[in-house]
Amino acid sequence: MQHLELPPWCGNGWGLRLVEDDDHFYDAMTGDESKAPSPEKQGNNNTNGLSSSPPDEQTHTEKLKLDELKDAAPEIPFPLDKLREWLIAFVVCDFNVDLGPEIEWIYPYAPFSPADLTTICFNSFPDRNNPDDLTTDTSFHFRFRHNSTDIKVPASDLVPHPEYWFGYCLFRQQRDETVKRKYGQKSFVVISQYDFTTLFRDQMLAKTLPLLDFGASAALMESACAQVANWPSPRPGEMELPFFGSIFNLHIPLHASYPLQGLVRKESVKQNHPIDIFALDPVGSWKQVVEYLPNVGDLYIIYERVLLCEPLVALSLDPRVCSEFVSLAFDLIRPIPFAGDYRPYITMHSDIFSQSHGGATTNHYLIGVTNPFILKRLQTPPIKKPLLQSFSLKEAPYVVHLTEPIRKNGSLHRRSKSTHREESSFDVVSQEPKGYMSRDWEFLKQLDEMCRADGSPAEVSRLVRRHFAYLTARFLAPLDRYFAQLITPASAIDPFEYGCFSETEFLQNLSKYGSGVEFKGKTNFQRNKMEEAFYKKFCRSPSFFSWLQMKMELASRSQMAG
Amino acid sequence: MSEGGPKPSSSVKLVLLGEAAVGKSSLVLRFVNDDFQENKEPTIGAAFLTQKCNLPNRTIKFEIWDTAGQERFASLAPMYYRNAQSALVVYDLTKASSLTKAKHWVAELQRQASPGIVIALVGNKLDLTTQSTGLEGSMGGLSLSAAANSGADGDDDEEEEDARQVTTAEAKGYAEEEGLLFYETSAKTGHNVSEVFTAIANAIPESTLKTRGGPGTGRGGAGGSSGDTFGGTGGVNLSAAGETNKDACAC
């Protein structure tokens, strides 16, 4: 619940101040709600909250800002619907030591629901801080299910799940003698309906908008929006997008599930222009993940979990690392669209725990966290909330520990799993899943050598993405073959033919012709059993249905195209 | 490219700077669309347009960043002029204070922009002076090629009774001192507009032009180390997350 105070100018494009009240005053690290302030203190906070904006209490700069806004931005000087074709708003969040995160600006003003504002506020700040590094900016992104029905966003074929929005954050800390604890913290966030992390996070925020000063200036946000509103509407293909003196060459694929987009690129890095951006490329690099993993072979476990849409959680100290992991893992199984709920970064306040989520897909998720207590919450939900009862039946997630390796004498020393256990002071029942597929030792050796030889992040990512794209293709081959038999050429254009799938028939087909994927097992019999078990699992997983749905959609699209 | 083929083509980044309402957007509109609008609304942030300029031996594609003149946007200018190979600094020749602002911009560019940047000083709204047609001998002299800027033009600033507040001699003297190209233009009549751009195109050193063989190439070396230069002094922190100016030209 928030106290929203709408200054007189907020309807004119400039946002509002949001102050959180007591509901969110439990300790974010421990999730312990009993640490909430006493009622008297809450009362105090509320008073503070409500009076956070009267002009006489504002600092001089804030006053200046307001005056500037009133005079200079009487209305939004660009077509709002054009801007909304790309993004919803820029939001600046400020971390107030006494009150928690609060929204400083929303531009252009958007009537976010109180729940969405809370989500944006809390997800925009890392709930854990690297104490050794207080001055470097960090960027990360999060995804949330929104319920801001008053914000009209144009429908687009490029947005497969319009009920979700993305927040791309640039988090910055700066020494500030005027505040408690001597550090000011701000997050500059772009809210968009698109999963275009490379564009919004890597280019717009991290490189182009590292604010001219700590506070975001009104002119900066206005300029950014005016430029975006001038962009052509998003469409598949290549687009030239000017932004603050740079030109982005944005490549949008025809379909979200095309694998390996941007894998082959011209390495003309020396030139500052134009900047090629592949909209659906994962952010980050496998190099870091591989170095952070306790065991390189875990890549296969991760791959299988994502492929089968089984719960997977990445735990790291840094929201950037875990959000990048989710982005990379999501990409690993293309062309199969990940069917579960994926959250590059969540905090204790995430809507994934809230009732609005409905609990519909929560057994299938891919989540990045920095707070280990979330693991506990994912497994043992409060009994009080009846909607989450299904949790008790849930499978425990597989937890990927992403920890910076220790470098000794120039070589990497990975943290072992047992070290991780020692570090977490509580029990995380994370069963060790046995893998199904046999590892490609050639590939793992090559990967290891490349990392040791200081291969570039792009190079390592390319190797990993290629390997698993090929594996996915081989994995899907028996299914494709089966469907090719099932669907006669005459009916090939009828997408409903895909509905006649029979698991028994397919498995017979599989045992007859086999699969290009090698499964574990000492004998042929064992290998075949493993193969059958894995395919069976896949055919009963949401991934299979999302893949079928995509095939049908593509078939009907090509049908319409003639 | 190969001989006998089409003329080589290069992209040139050009930024327009100057006080509000001196006619920056109008100059661009005239150059790009050969059009003019009275009472154009102020630019927010910046507008981006492109226009080709055909030279005898090459084609220059101008990537024009038309920045907002309002003071509140001034702090964003470094984002636009970083790595720019050319700049057009505009003043209103019927408003003396706008030349002062133009001089500030020139100084800032010389201090913080790419070392080899070609700067043109342009006095706009010539149509508001008595020599609006631009057909008189003395004005005609101004439309000569840019390289001829050195030649003094004689006394062409006797017009005291019209709206002109900045004499040609004053602005031109300043331009010569600072090594700038200099033109007086009228976006309204189109006088001298394309000449400015052609002069800039000619003045860009060939060594900084890289032939655009395909997407991903073709940015000149004029960028130099500008990113660092203004990153340090202009209060622009472009080094977030250690990705220091990856897009700054490192040639």
Side-chain angles (χ1 to χ4, degrees), chain A residues 62-206:
Chain A
E62 267 175 324
K63 237 183 208 163
L64 273 181
K65 234 185 246 170
L66 287 189
D67 288 345
E68 186 186 6
L69 296 177
K70 253 187 256 172
D71 298 343
E75 48 191 41
I76 300 172
F78 50 82
L80 189 60
D81 49 338
K82 288 292 291 172
L83 178 78
R84 291 271 154 87
E85 285 184 350
W86 285 96
L87 57 87
I88 293 146
F90 284 87
V91 178
V92 177
C93 300
D94 183 74
F95 193 87
N96 182 320
V97 174
D98 296 316
L99 301 171
E102 52 179 10
I103 285 181
E104 192 176 343
W105 300 115
I106 297 176
Y107 186 83
Y109 171 71
F112 286 108
S113 69
D116 287 354
L117 284 177
T118 309
T119 305
I120 294 167
C121 263
F122 282 101
N123 285 292
S124 300
F125 290 96
D127 56 6
R128 220 169 166 189
N129 250 335
N130 187 350
D132 301 331
D133 187 6
L134 288 172
T135 48
T136 318
D137 292 346
T138 186
S139 53
F140 57 95
H141 62 292
F142 60 89
R143 177 179 187 249
F144 64 103
R145 204 183 170 95
H146 70 88
N147 63 359
S148 298
T149 43
D150 292 340
I151 300 176
K152 297 280 166 279
V153 176
S156 165
D157 285 346
L158 299 168
V159 179
H161 301 288
E163 68 275 24
Y164 285 96
W165 285 346
F166 295 83
Y168 303 99
C169 308
L170 180 76
F171 172 71
R172 172 171 287 190
Q173 320 190 64
Q174 187 169 287
R175 202 158 171 85
D176 181 353
E177 297 295 333
T178 64
V179 300
K180 260 192 210 173
R181 298 188 198 169
K182 307 289 180 216
Y183 268 94
Q185 299 185 320
K186 267 189 210 296
S187 231
F188 197 94
V189 191
V190 180
I191 305 293
S192 168
Q193 64 271 46
Y194 291 100
D195 191 359
F196 291 170
T197 317
T198 43
L199 172 70
F200 290 112
R201 205 201 80 173
D202 284 6
Q203 295 300 334
M204 263 172 105
L205 283 179

Side-chain angles (χ1 to χ4, degrees), chain A residues 248-295:
Chain A
F248 302 150
N249 251 0
L250 182 69
H251 303 254
I252 301 178
L254 279 164
H255 194 275
S257 281
Y258 283 125
L260 304 183
Q261 201 210 5
L263 211 60
V264 183
R265 62 174 79 203
K266 290 151 243 137
E267 299 273 351
S268 54
V269 199
K270 284 266 151 79
Q271 310 293 343
N272 70 334
H273 165 87
I275 302 161
D276 273 312
I277 302 172
F278 295 87
L280 301 179
D281 247 15
V283 283
S285 164
W286 276 108
K287 187 180 183 189
Q288 187 172 44
V289 173
V290 166
E291 285 175 356
Y292 279 31
L293 281 176
N295 181 344

Side-chain angles (χ1 to χ4, degrees), chain A residues 386-408:
Chain A
L387 264 172
L388 294 178
Q389 261 175 3
S390 50
F391 262 113
S392 52
L393 305 168
K394 276 188 187 122
E395 213 183 324
Y398 176 66
V399 181
V400 181
H401 292 270
L402 297 168
T403 320
E404 204 170 343
I406 306 153
R407 284 174 201 271
K408 270 186 205 152

Side-chain angles (χ1 to χ4, degrees), chain A residues 225 377 486 493:
Chain A
C225 291
R377 198 147 171 201
L486 188 71
I493 50 164

Side-chain angles (χ1 to χ4, degrees), chain A residues 68 72 77 137 172 206-208 210 212 219-220 222-223 226-227 242-247 268 270-274, chain B residues 13 44-46 48 63 65 72-73 75-76 79-80 82-83 210 215-216 219 235-237 240-241 243 246-247 249-250:
Chain A
E68 186 186 6
D137 292 346
R172 172 171 287 190
K207 282 194 196 152
T208 320
L212 297 160
L220 180 83
E222 213 179 320
S223 295
Q227 290 173 84
F243 192 69
F244 281 117
S246 305
I247 298 168
S268 54
K270 284 266 151 79
Q271 310 293 343
N272 70 334
H273 165 87
Chain B
K13 182 173 174 181
I44 301 298
F48 176 77
E63 294 170 354
W65 294 89
R72 66 200 177 100
F73 293 112
S75 63
L76 303 177
M79 299 182 112
Y80 298 101
R82 66 173 157 169
N83 301 324
K210 280 202 182 137
R219 201 79 296 244
V236 186
N237 181 358
E243 295 270 311
K246 210 178 158 196
D247 53 346
C249 188

Side-chain angles (χ1 to χ4, degrees), chain A residues 29-65:
Chain A
M29 270 309 286
T30 62
D32 186 355
E33 309 204 18
S34 65
K35 284 195 183 167
S38 61
E40 304 91 286
K41 205 177 161 201
Q42 284 175 18
N44 261 341
N45 282 334
N46 269 339
T47 334
N48 282 343
L50 282 167
S51 60
S52 74
S53 278
D56 51 323
E57 281 191 18
Q58 279 159 0
T59 62
H60 179 60
T61 44
E62 267 175 324
K63 237 183 208 163
L64 273 181
K65 234 185 246 170

